[in-house]
Amino acid sequence: MSSAAPPSTRSPLAAFAAVFLLAAACAGALVWTLERQERAQQRTQAADVAGDHVQALQRAIELALSANNTLVALVRQGHGNVPQFEEIGMQMLPFYPGIAAMGLSPGGVVQQVVPRAGNENSIGFDQLNDPRQGVEAARARESGLLTLAGPMELVQGGLGVVGRQPVYLEDDLGRRNFWGFTYVTIRLPEVLATARLPQLTERGFHYRLWRVRPDNHQEQTIAASAPPPADDAVGRSLTLPNGQWTLSLSPAQGWGAPGVLALRCALGLLFALLMGYLARLLVELKAHERGLATQVAQRTSEIQATQQQLRATIDAIPDPLFEIDQDGRYCSVHSPRAELLMGPADQLIGRNVTDVLPALAALTVMDVLNEAQSQGWSTGRQIMLDLPGLGPTWFELSAARKAGSAGGKPRFIVLSRDISERKRSQEQLQLTAQVFDQSGEAIVIADAAQTIVRINRAFSRITGYSEAEAVGQSMRLLTVAESTRDFDADLVYTHLSKDGHWEGEAWGRRKDGSTYPQWLSVSRVRDGNGSTTHSITLFRDITLQREAQDRIQRLAHFDPLTDLPNRARLAERAQRHIEQEKARGGTLAMLFLDLDHFKNVNDSLGHRIGDILLVAVARRLESLLGTQDTVSRLGGDEFLLLLPAASAMQAADLAQRLLIAVAQPFQVEPYELTTTLSVGIAMYPADGDSFDTLYQRADAAMYRAKQSGRNRFGFFTADLEARTARALQIENALRRALERNQFELHYQPQVSLATRQVVGAEALLRWKHPELGMVSPAEFIPVAESSGMIVAIGEWVLNTAVHDAKRWLDLQLPLRAVSVNLSAVQFRHPQLPEMVTRCLQQAGLPARRLELELTEGAAVDDPAAALAMMDQLHDRGVRLSMDDFGTGYSSLSYLKRFQIYKLKIDQSFVRDLDDDANDRAIVSAIIRMAQALGMQTTAEGVETDGQLEFLRAQGCDEGQGYLFSRPLAADAFEAYLREHLGR
C-alpha cells in the first residue's frame, strides 16, 4: 500500500524566515520608539531639576547684586561723597547674605570698603588697570550697565565674583561724567551653597556650572561634580549682567535604561521567534492536511477493517470522548467514568455545549471546533468544570475534524483528558520554584556527600558565587568560614544524618574572602529507605541586624552628636560612685555646665556650625578630666560632669580650669568663635545623696551663676533652695489667682509729644496676693508663661482692658486707644485672632481702638508664623505695635513685611538721652526708620524735660513715663482722663 510523500521542508523554513524578519522589524521599531520617548522624558526631567537649582542660584546672586543700587543711590545723593559709608555699609551687610565686601571706587580706584577687616589689601586697588579685572571694568564703564566679573581670585583672597556698577554724575551743565564704580564682592562658595549643587550628586546626577568668558570666549567651569557630566548633558542657563551661567546635568548612570532596553530587545526577539514558529507550524499543518486528503481514499478500506479495533481502542480510553457537529451539538458521547460528564450521556446527545457547559468553557470548546475546522485539528486548550461529584476539574481538549459526506455539516471528535492532578502538580512545582528563586534567604541543595547541586539567587547575592561557580563545590567551603563556640561545621555535617536538623548562628565566607555573620539552618532529605540523599541548607546575612543592635545599644547610652555618655549612662555611673563614696565615707562633685549665649551661634551661623562647636567643646572638656571623671551631654548646650572622690576645693579648681579652657577661641571652619561657661556645683553628701537631687541642685547653682553675669562657677547654697521654693510657691498661688480675683489692671497714659494731650494708655497687669503682697510682674509672668497659665491670664487682661476702654469712650473721655501686651506664648497660640474678636464683640469696642503690643523675640522666633498671625489680626482691624524695640534680635527684612503700626522705643535708650551720645544716635535712627516705613513711634520711660525736648525735636510721636504719670488703677486713671478732658 502506497503512502503519501513527506511534505517539503523548504516551504515551512521560508515561511519561518519571512515572518521572523517582519516581526523582528516591527518589534525593533517599537523598541526604538519607546527608547526615544523615555530618553526625551528623562532629559526633560533633568532639565527641570537643573532649572530649580538655577533659579535658587540666580535669586541669591541678584539679591547680592541689588546692594549696588543702594550704593549708587548713596553716591548720587552725596554727589560723589559718602562720609558715613562704613557705618551705612555695616548696617547693610546683614540684609545681603553672601556678600563678602562692598565698596566705592572713584575713578576706578577702591577708596572705601566694608567691612574693612580682612579687606585692607583692596584699598587703592585700580580696577580699570588691573590685568585680571581691567577688561571687564572698562566694559562696565563704557556700557554704563551693571556687570558681573568672575569667578576669579579675589584681592582679599579666595574665589569669588564682583558685581560692578558704573556711576555717572551730572555737572552744573547737565553733562554726565564718569565718577567711578560701586561694587560688591561675592564669595562664590557662599552663593553656590544656596543652589544646593551637591544634592544633584545625591539624586544621581553629574553636574557642571560654567560660563563663556567674554574676553576669550572660552568655557570656564565654575563648579562641577567628579566626574563631570557627559557631552550630551542638558542644561539651564541663568542670565546675569554681562553674560550668563549654565548648569549642565546628565544622569550618573547615563541616559536611558540599558537593562530595560535589553529586556525589550529580548522580548522583541522572542516575539519574532514565536511568530516565525507559528508560521512554520501553520504551513506544516496545512501540508499535513493536504497529505491527509490524499490518503483518505487509499485508507478507506483500512478504516473499515479497523473499525472493530477502533471501537476497542475507544472503549479503552479512560477520558470522555465526544462527537460534536460544527454548531456545538453533541452527536455521541463516550465516557467510561460517568462522573466526568456534566450529566447522563443519553441526555447530552442533541444538546448544545452552550446549554451544558459554563459560558467560558463553552466558548473555549467552540474555539477548539473552529480551530479544528480551519486546520483539521486542535490541541492544548484547557477548560475547568465544576462537576457535581468532583468539584473543580481541569480538562485538556484535543479535537480533530471527522470526514463527512460532501455537503454535510462537519463533525469533530473531541477528547477531553482529565488533567486535574497534573494541573495541581504543575501549580505546586511552579509555586515551589518561585519560592526557591525568590526567597530572601539563601537556599542550597547538596547531595549526600555535601556537594552543591543547586542554589537560588539569594545565595549568589549574599556570597558572590554564581551558580556555575558554586555547583560541584563543597558546602563547607562555601558557607562556613570558621567554627564558633556554638557551631562546628565538621560536627554538624558529619552527624546530620543522625540529628536531622541544626539551626544557629555561624560565620560565612564570601567569594572575595570576607566573612560575615549568618543565621544557618541545615536539614536532611531521606529516600523511601530512610537513607539521607540530600541536605537543604538555608542561611541569611545578619550583618545589618548585628550593626543595628550595636547602634541601638550605643544610642541608648551615648549622645549621637558628641559621642559622650548621655544622662541615662551618667546616672548609672553616678549611682555606682555614690554607693562607693557612701561605703568609704568620701565625697564627690557634680558640675552642671551651660554655654553662655550659645543660641546666638545657632541663630546667626546655623545649627551645623553650632553642632561643630558643641563637639569641639566636648573634646576640650574631655582633655581636662581624669580617668575616673565622666562628662555627659544632656542636650542642647548643657553638659554634666561627675567627679568621683573629689572635694569641694578640687571641684572649684577644675571649674576654674574649665572656664579658662572653654574661653579660648574655637576655629570652626572660617569662623573664630568664642564662648564661655556658667558652672553650677553640687557636692555629695552635703547637697544630696542621689543623682536626681545632685542634678537639680547643680542646675540651680548654674542658673545662679548665669544671673550673676555668666562665665563663672558657683556652689549650691541654701538660699538657692529658698528661691526654688519661692518659685514653686508663686506657681501654686498663681493657679488660683484668676478665680480669686487677685489680678487688677493699672493704666499708664500715652501722651502726644506735640500737643501734650492723652491719646492712649497701656494696660499693665498687677497681682496682689493676700499673703505674698504685691508680686512683681517680672517674677510671676515668666512662671505663667512656662506653666501655660499665661493664655487664660492674657484673655482676662484683654477682656478687662477692652471693657474699661469701652466705658471710658462712652463717657467721651479723651482716649483714642488702649494697648495690651502679648507674651510670646499668647502670640503663638492658634486661637488668638478668634479670642481677640470675641472680646471686642462682647465689649462692643471697635477694633481700631485696640492696640496689641508684642516683643521683637515673639515676632522673629518664627517669622513665617508671625507674618500669618499679624495678617489675621490686621484683617480684623486690630493695630499692632513692637514693644521694647532695639533690645532684641531685630530682623529688619521681616520688620518691613510685618503689619506693624507703631514702634515703642525701649526705656533703656531713653534713660540716658541727656548724657549718652550713642543713645541719642540710636533713638534718632529708630525714629527715622519708623518714619520711612510709615510707622509711629512711642518713647517709654520719659522722665525729664530734656528727654522730652530731644524726642520732640527728632519727630517722635508719643511718649509715656513718670514725667506724665505713673501707672494708675482704673478709677484713678478715669479721674486722670476727666482732669485732662477740660484742657
Side-chain angles (χ1 to χ4, degrees):
M1 184 178 298
S2 62
S3 60
S8 172
T9 60
R10 181 174 301 176
S11 178
L13 288 176
F16 171 82
V19 174
F20 171 77
L21 293 176
L22 180 60
C26 294
L30 179 61
V31 168
W32 174 242
T33 300
L34 293 175
E35 182 69 12
R36 288 176 56 192
Q37 292 176 349
E38 290 185 359
R39 289 199 177 194
Q41 183 179 6
Q42 189 178 13
R43 293 178 70 88
T44 300
Q45 293 175 349
D48 292 341
V49 171
D52 293 340
H53 288 266
V54 161
Q55 289 179 6
L57 180 58
Q58 184 156 11
R59 286 194 297 268
I61 293 176
E62 288 178 349
L63 175 61
L65 291 179
S66 65
N68 267 309
N69 297 330
T70 304
L71 296 180
V72 171
L74 289 174
V75 172
R76 290 176 175 168
Q77 182 179 0
H79 300 287
N81 182 24
V82 187
Q84 296 179 336
F85 173 74
E86 184 171 354
E87 178 183 354
I88 296 173
M90 292 302 294
Q91 294 178 359
M92 290 175 57
L93 281 178
F95 295 98
Y96 300 96
I99 292 182
M102 61 176 65
L104 303 180
S105 303
V109 179
V110 177
Q111 297 296 336
Q112 293 176 291
V113 62
V114 288
R116 181 172 290 271
N119 295 290
E120 294 86 350
N121 294 338
S122 63
I123 300 298
F125 175 66
D126 191 343
Q127 295 179 335
L128 289 171
N129 296 317
D130 180 70
R132 295 174 301 172
Q133 302 186 26
V135 175
E136 296 202 25
R139 184 178 294 109
R141 181 186 62 185
E142 298 303 326
S143 64
L145 300 176
L146 172 67
T147 61
L148 184 67
M152 64 180 67
E153 290 293 333
L154 301 175
V155 175
Q156 301 93 328
L159 191 65
V161 293
V162 178
R164 188 179 292 109
Q165 174 72 54
V167 180
Y168 287 85
L169 301 178
E170 293 186 358
D171 58 15
D172 296 336
L173 299 178
R175 293 173 298 185
R176 295 178 71 249
N177 297 317
F178 174 68
W179 173 85
F181 298 105
T182 64
Y183 73 92
V184 292
T185 301
I186 307 170
R187 293 199 181 277
L188 192 57
E190 298 178 8
V191 175
L192 293 181
T194 62
R196 310 181 307 281
L197 297 182
Q199 290 185 3
L200 294 173
T201 303
E202 298 173 3
R203 296 174 67 177
F205 291 99
H206 293 322
Y207 67 87
R208 175 174 172 247
L209 180 64
W210 57 276
R211 71 159 190 162
V212 177
R213 298 186 56 173
D215 52 351
N216 55 17
H217 301 288
Q218 294 183 353
E219 291 186 1
Q220 177 186 8
T221 299
I222 300 170
S225 60
D231 293 338
D232 58 349
V234 299
R236 282 290 185 272
S237 297
L238 61 155
T239 301
L240 298 173
N242 201 32
Q244 65 180 18
W245 292 3
T246 302
L247 177 61
S248 300
L249 295 183
S250 67
Q253 303 299 326
W255 301 108
V260 175
L261 179 61
L263 177 62
R264 289 172 175 167
C265 291
L267 292 175
L269 180 60
L270 179 62
F271 170 74
L273 289 172
L274 180 62
M275 295 303 295
Y277 172 75
L278 292 177
R280 177 180 176 180
L281 185 63
L282 182 61
V283 171
E284 289 177 346
L285 289 176
K286 287 293 184 180
H288 182 67
E289 181 182 356
R290 289 192 297 270
L292 288 176
T294 60
Q295 295 174 12
V296 170
Q298 300 175 2
R299 296 184 179 178
T300 300
S301 58
E302 297 177 10
I303 293 174
Q304 293 174 351
T306 58
Q307 281 184 348
Q308 185 176 359
Q309 182 180 355
L310 180 60
R311 172 58 59 185
T313 301
I314 291 175
D315 292 339
I317 296 175
D319 299 306
L321 187 69
F322 307 96
E323 182 179 355
I324 305 176
D325 65 14
Q326 188 177 12
D327 296 331
R329 290 187 178 86
Y330 292 101
C331 299
S332 65
V333 178
H334 172 80
S335 177
R337 297 172 57 192
E339 65 270 18
L340 296 179
L341 299 176
M342 292 296 290
D346 55 348
Q347 296 181 10
L348 295 179
I349 297 175
R351 298 179 63 186
N352 197 288
V353 294
T354 57
D355 299 330
V356 177
L357 302 179
L360 183 60
L363 182 62
T364 303
V365 171
M366 295 305 297
D367 290 341
V368 169
L369 298 181
N370 292 332
E371 186 176 1
Q373 170 64 20
S374 62
Q375 62 184 26
W377 59 275
S378 175
T379 186
R381 301 288 185 96
Q382 297 178 1
I383 62 173
M384 192 276 290
L385 300 178
D386 190 3
L387 299 177
L390 300 178
T393 306
W394 284 89
F395 295 92
E396 183 179 72
L397 303 180
S398 298
R401 187 176 55 196
K402 180 179 180 181
S405 59
K409 280 188 177 182
R411 292 188 176 185
F412 304 89
I413 303 298
V414 180
L415 177 64
S416 180
R417 180 171 298 135
D418 181 7
I419 60 169
S420 299
E421 191 64 31
R422 188 179 79 186
K423 193 78 172 178
R424 284 190 288 270
S425 298
Q426 288 177 348
E427 292 175 352
Q428 189 65 33
L429 286 174
Q430 290 176 356
L431 179 61
T432 302
Q434 289 179 355
V435 171
F436 183 83
D437 288 334
Q438 299 178 10
S439 172
E441 294 188 354
I443 304 177
V444 187
I445 300 177
D447 59 18
Q450 300 306 319
T451 300
I452 297 175
V453 297
R454 189 177 177 189
I455 64 172
N456 69 346
R457 287 180 288 186
F459 178 91
S460 299
R461 174 175 52 80
I462 295 174
T463 66
Y465 288 99
S466 65
E467 184 173 4
E469 294 170 330
V471 172
Q473 298 292 329
S474 169
M475 280 294 301
R476 278 165 283 200
L477 175 64
L478 294 176
T479 61
V480 180
E482 57 187 53
S483 298
T484 64
R485 182 182 63 182
D486 301 325
F487 177 82
D488 184 274
D490 295 329
L491 186 62
V492 169
Y493 284 103
T494 299
H495 296 284
L496 184 62
S497 59
K498 176 183 176 181
D499 300 334
H501 179 77
W502 186 91
E503 185 174 17
E505 189 172 328
W507 282 89
R509 178 191 297 114
R510 295 189 177 89
K511 181 180 178 180
D512 59 8
S514 62
T515 61
Y516 62 97
Q518 62 178 200
W519 187 260
L520 185 67
S521 175
V522 186
S523 303
R524 66 181 178 182
V525 178
R526 294 182 177 182
D527 60 11
N529 299 323
S531 300
T532 299
T533 60
H534 293 82
S535 68
I536 300 177
T537 301
L538 291 82
F539 64 87
R540 65 180 184 272
D541 185 352
I542 60 173
T543 301
L544 295 179
Q545 295 176 345
R546 281 275 194 89
E547 293 175 351
Q549 291 173 355
D550 293 342
R551 286 195 301 270
I552 292 172
Q553 187 69 15
R554 185 156 191 84
L555 288 174
H557 295 92
F558 290 88
D559 175 50
L561 176 63
T562 62
D563 207 30
L564 294 176
N566 60 13
R567 176 175 174 172
R569 183 76 167 181
L570 183 68
E572 295 175 1
R573 295 184 182 180
Q575 200 58 43
R576 184 171 65 252
H577 285 297
I578 288 174
E579 295 297 333
Q580 293 174 356
E581 298 303 331
K582 182 178 181 180
R584 68 184 186 89
T587 62
L588 63 77
M590 185 171 291
L591 280 67
F592 197 113
L593 282 61
D594 186 272
L595 296 180
D596 298 328
H597 302 300
F598 178 75
K599 184 176 182 296
N600 293 342
V601 177
N602 281 339
D603 291 343
S604 58
L605 301 179
H607 289 274
R608 186 182 67 84
I609 297 297
D611 288 346
I612 297 175
L613 177 59
L614 287 174
V615 173
V617 170
R619 300 290 84 80
R620 194 170 291 183
L621 294 177
E622 286 182 313
S623 67
L624 298 175
L625 300 184
T627 56
Q628 296 298 320
D629 302 334
T630 303
V631 56
S632 167
R633 178 172 179 246
L634 302 179
D637 58 350
E638 296 178 340
F639 297 86
L640 199 61
L641 270 64
L642 178 68
L643 308 180
S647 64
M649 183 177 296
Q650 291 171 327
D653 178 67
L654 177 60
Q656 186 61 42
R657 288 189 287 122
L658 291 174
L659 294 177
I660 296 173
V662 173
Q664 300 302 313
F666 292 87
Q667 190 64 41
V668 180
E669 295 185 350
Y671 309 105
E672 183 177 83
L673 304 179
T674 303
T675 187
T676 57
L677 284 177
S678 294
V679 183
I681 306 174
M683 299 299 300
Y684 167 85
D687 300 328
D689 58 358
S690 67
F691 170 78
D692 289 336
T693 303
L694 292 173
Y695 170 84
Q696 292 172 0
R697 294 184 171 177
D699 186 15
M702 183 275 294
Y703 275 106
R704 165 69 68 83
K706 277 192 176 295
Q707 293 171 358
S708 300
R710 297 184 170 84
N711 193 25
R712 62 189 64 210
F713 68 89
F715 285 88
F716 176 80
T717 58
D719 68 311
L720 288 179
E721 190 167 16
R723 288 193 177 191
T724 303
R726 169 71 174 181
L728 182 60
Q729 184 182 22
I730 290 293
E731 181 175 352
N732 291 334
L734 192 62
R735 295 187 182 279
R736 307 298 297 273
L738 192 60
E739 63 183 70
R740 293 176 178 177
N741 298 320
Q742 295 174 357
F743 291 120
E744 61 183 44
L745 289 185
H746 287 197
Y747 296 89
Q748 185 171 32
Q750 295 173 336
V751 177
S752 170
L753 299 186
T755 65
R756 297 293 293 265
Q757 296 296 317
V758 177
V759 294
E762 180 179 1
L764 301 172
L765 180 62
R766 296 293 184 263
W767 179 23
K768 185 176 182 180
H769 190 270
E771 298 175 0
L772 302 177
M774 291 298 296
V775 184
S776 170
E779 186 176 12
F780 73 80
I781 290 297
V783 176
E785 290 183 332
S786 62
S787 63
M789 291 183 283
I790 192 66
V791 176
I793 295 174
E795 183 172 357
W796 179 89
V797 171
L798 181 63
N799 191 57
T800 303
V802 296
H803 277 81
D804 286 347
K806 173 60 174 175
R807 185 177 73 256
W808 295 329
L809 288 173
D810 290 343
L811 295 175
Q812 297 183 351
L813 296 179
L815 183 70
R816 185 179 63 191
V818 63
S819 299
V820 178
N821 289 282
L822 289 180
S823 74
V825 176
Q826 288 178 278
F827 187 66
R828 289 191 293 267
H829 198 282
Q831 300 301 320
L832 174 63
E834 289 74 12
M835 186 267 287
V836 172
T837 301
R838 183 173 63 253
C839 290
L840 289 172
Q841 290 176 348
Q842 291 174 354
L845 183 70
R848 70 178 185 277
R849 301 291 189 177
L850 175 62
E851 185 176 305
L852 297 179
E853 298 184 9
L854 59 147
T855 62
E856 294 177 84
V860 302
D861 282 347
D862 188 353
L867 282 170
M869 181 63 73
M870 289 181 183
D871 288 341
Q872 292 188 58
L873 293 172
H874 184 266
D875 291 342
R876 285 168 164 79
V878 178
R879 293 178 173 180
L880 301 173
S881 63
M882 185 73 73
D883 196 15
D884 299 337
F885 184 76
T887 60
Y889 179 79
S890 299
S891 175
L892 299 181
S893 62
Y894 281 107
L895 179 62
K896 66 182 182 181
R897 298 167 57 190
F898 289 159
Q899 299 283 1
I900 297 297
Y901 163 73
K902 180 192 299 181
L903 295 181
K904 300 194 70 175
I905 306 172
D906 187 69
Q907 60 182 346
S908 62
F909 301 127
V910 178
R911 184 181 303 116
D912 297 326
L913 281 179
D914 295 335
D915 306 316
D916 194 327
N918 291 330
D919 282 344
R920 290 196 294 272
I922 292 173
V923 170
S924 297
I926 294 175
I927 295 172
R928 298 289 182 272
M929 181 184 65
Q931 290 172 344
L933 295 176
M935 302 177 184
Q936 291 192 357
T937 51
T938 298
E940 298 178 308
V942 180
E943 298 180 355
T944 67
D945 291 328
Q947 296 169 352
L948 175 62
E949 292 305 320
F950 177 82
L951 293 168
R952 181 185 295 165
Q954 296 300 317
C956 182
D957 300 296
E958 301 169 3
Q960 67 182 82
Y962 286 179
L963 180 63
F964 308 113
S965 174
R966 292 175 177 271
L968 303 172
D971 293 340
F973 182 71
E974 182 174 335
Y976 178 87
L977 291 177
R978 292 182 183 277
E979 179 183 349
H980 282 71
L981 180 61
R983 293 186 181 179

